[in-house]
Structure formats: C-alpha cells, structure tokens
C-alpha cells in the first residue's frame, strides 16, 4: 500500500506539472490525459484492493475470535480432564491402601525362671512392662501391587502424645508431617493376606499408668488402631 501511495503521488505531481504549463501541445495534452486515465485506473484498483483487504481483515478478526473461543473451550476441557485424571489417581491411591485387621497389643514383662532364664510374660502393670508387642494382619488387596510396603506405627502415651524421637517423621496423605514410634517394611504379594505381623516397642522407661494407644499407617492413611490399659 505504501508503494502504491508513492506511485499515485508521483503521477499526480507529473499531471500537475503538465497542467500548469501554458500552451500545451497536442502530444502534451495526450500525455496528460493518458496519465489521468492511468491514475483513475490505479485509484480504482487501489480502492478495490483496500476493500478486499478490509474484508480479509474482518474475516481474520472473526477467525481469531472463533479460535480464541475454541482455545478457551479446549483449555476448559483440558482442565476437566486433568481434574478427572487426578480424581481417578486419587481413587486408585485410596484403593491401594492396605487395611490392618486383628490388631492386638500386649504389655510384656521379661520374667526370670528359677534357673535364671528369661521368660516373656504378659502383664497389665505399667511398673512391670518392659516392652509392648503389637500383632496385626494386612488384609488382601487386589489393587495394591506386589512389593515391600512401609508401615508406620505410632504409639501414644496416656497423655495422648506420640512417643517418638523428633527425627522420626512421615508424611500423611494431606502432606502434613507426623512423628512415628517405629516403622516396619513388610513384603506383600498382590491379592494375598499377610498374617500375624509382629512389631515391638522397647522404651527406655515406661511413661507410667494409663491407656496406651497405637495407630498404624500406610501411604499416609490410618489403617487401624488398638489400645491397652496398664495399671
């Protein structure tokens, strides 16, 4: 368009110069008429091209609007698919969490026989408790894949506080951290139950009388719990 503007300005200047001259010859008049005709032709072509470009611009604007709307729709669909994917992944995760059953807690005392041999004996007295033994099963799960499963065990004293060193922490399902007393790695085969798993807590000293609670966690979810009261 800038090139055509230059051409038209040049033709106008030539015509104006010719028309300013006095006593033009027939040849000069013929040249002036030819230039005027050429100018009209160029102007008409110029106008036609401008109209065509306007129409193309309108079409491009409409196309851009349509593409923008389609992009917005696709973005929303993508978000929806991502949310659906996350939802499905969460369902699979929840379905993969193992469940603990048949949980037992036993307060044990290391008694000595007449021959000086040590013998474990269950007790209900806090003063005689040397350690607490926990037994539980892991139920069969057809979703959870075979492999080693990390189980975290939290023992709570009678005041409700987790008995654990500050360095022992694991992540819950909501990404928060929680202290744990001990952990246990358990070989697991998909679809099969693991029976009579044993975990023992050996404290340096027992906190005292009261109710002790144990919670068992897998993949950040609580999968079972039990309690025992010591007098």
């Amino acid at each position: 368009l800038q090139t055509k503007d230059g051409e038209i300005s040049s033709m106008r200047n030539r015509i104006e110069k010719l028309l300013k001259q006095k006593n033009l010859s027939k040849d000069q008049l013929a040249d002036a008429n030819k230039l005027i005709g050429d100018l009209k032709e160029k102007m008409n072509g110029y106008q036609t091209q401008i109209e065509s470009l306007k129409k193309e611009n309108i079409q491009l604007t409409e196309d851009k609007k349509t593409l923008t709307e389609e992009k917005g729709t696709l973005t929303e669909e993508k978000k929806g698919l991502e949310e659906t994917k996350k939802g499905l992944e969460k369902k699979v995760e929840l379905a993969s969490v193992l469940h603990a059953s048949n949980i037992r807690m036993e307060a044990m005392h290391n008694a000595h026989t007449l021959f000086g041999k040590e013998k474990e004996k269950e007790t209900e007295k806090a003063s005689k408790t040397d350690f607490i033994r926990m037994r539980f099963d892991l139920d069969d799960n057809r979703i959870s894949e075979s492999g080693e499963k990390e189980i975290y065990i939290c023992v709570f004293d009678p005041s409700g506080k987790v008995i654990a060193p500050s360095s022992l922490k694991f992540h819950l399902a909501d990404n928060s951290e929680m202290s744990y007393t001990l952990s246990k790695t358990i070989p697991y085969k998909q679809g099969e139950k693991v029976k009579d798993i044993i975990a023992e807590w050996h404290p340096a000293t027992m906190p005292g009388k009261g109710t002790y609670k144990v919670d068992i966690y897998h993949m950040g979810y609580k999968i079972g719990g039990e309690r025992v009261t010591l007098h």
Side-chain angles (χ1 to χ4, degrees), residues 26 47 84 93 99 103 107 127 137 205 208 221:
K26 290 183 178 180
Q47 187 63 36
T84 301
E93 177 185 310
H99 178 260
I103 304 169
S127 59
D137 301 336
T205 55
Y221 295 93

Coordinates of all heavy atoms in Angstrom, one line a residue, residues 26 47 84 93 99 103 107 127 137 205 208 221:
K26 N -0.5 19.2 -28.6 CA -1.4 18.0 -28.6 C -0.7 16.8 -27.9 O -1.4 16.0 -27.2 CB -1.7 17.7 -30.1 CG -2.6 18.7 -30.7 CD -3.0 18.3 -32.1 CE -3.9 19.3 -32.8 NZ -4.3 18.8 -34.2
Q47 N -8.5 1.2 -4.6 CA -9.7 1.1 -3.8 C -10.3 -0.3 -3.7 O -10.7 -0.8 -2.6 CB -10.8 2.0 -4.4 CG -12.1 2.2 -3.5 CD -11.8 2.8 -2.2 OE1 -10.9 3.7 -2.1 NE2 -12.4 2.4 -1.1
T84 N -10.3 -34.9 36.2 CA -10.8 -36.3 36.2 C -9.7 -37.2 36.4 O -9.8 -38.2 37.2 CB -11.5 -36.6 34.8 OG1 -12.6 -35.7 34.6 CG2 -12.0 -38.0 34.8
E93 N -5.2 -44.6 44.4 CA -4.3 -44.5 45.5 C -5.1 -45.0 46.8 O -4.5 -45.8 47.6 CB -3.9 -43.0 45.8 CG -3.1 -42.8 47.0 CD -2.8 -41.3 47.3 OE1 -2.4 -40.6 46.3 OE2 -3.0 -40.9 48.4
H99 N -5.2 -52.5 54.5 CA -6.0 -52.4 55.8 C -5.5 -53.4 56.8 O -5.3 -54.5 56.5 CB -7.5 -52.6 55.5 CG -8.4 -52.6 56.7 ND1 -8.8 -53.7 57.4 CD2 -8.8 -51.5 57.4 CE1 -9.5 -53.3 58.4 NE2 -9.6 -52.0 58.4
I103 N -5.9 -56.6 65.2 CA -4.8 -55.9 65.9 C -4.9 -56.2 67.4 O -5.9 -56.1 68.0 CB -4.9 -54.4 65.7 CG1 -4.9 -54.0 64.2 CG2 -3.8 -53.6 66.4 CD1 -5.3 -52.6 63.9
A107 N 1.3 -56.0 76.7 CA 2.3 -55.4 77.5 C 3.1 -56.6 78.0 O 2.6 -57.5 78.7 CB 1.7 -54.6 78.6
S127 N 4.4 -50.8 85.8 CA 5.7 -50.9 86.5 C 6.5 -52.2 86.1 O 7.7 -52.2 86.1 CB 5.6 -51.0 88.0 OG 4.7 -52.1 88.4
D137 N -2.7 -58.2 61.2 CA -2.7 -58.7 59.8 C -2.9 -57.6 58.8 O -3.4 -56.6 59.1 CB -3.9 -59.7 59.6 CG -3.8 -60.9 60.6 OD1 -2.7 -61.2 61.2 OD2 -4.9 -61.5 60.9
T205 N 12.2 -46.2 79.5 CA 11.4 -46.3 80.7 C 9.9 -46.1 80.3 O 9.6 -45.4 79.4 CB 11.7 -45.2 81.7 OG1 11.7 -43.9 81.0 CG2 13.2 -45.4 82.2
G208 N 4.3 -44.6 82.5 CA 3.5 -44.8 83.7 C 2.2 -45.4 83.4 O 1.9 -45.9 82.3
Y221 N -2.2 -42.9 55.3 CA -3.6 -43.1 55.8 C -3.6 -44.0 57.0 O -2.8 -45.0 57.1 CB -4.5 -43.7 54.7 CG -4.7 -42.8 53.5 CD1 -3.9 -42.9 52.4 CD2 -5.7 -41.9 53.5 CE1 -4.1 -42.1 51.3 CE2 -5.9 -41.1 52.4 CZ -5.1 -41.2 51.3 OH -5.3 -40.4 50.2

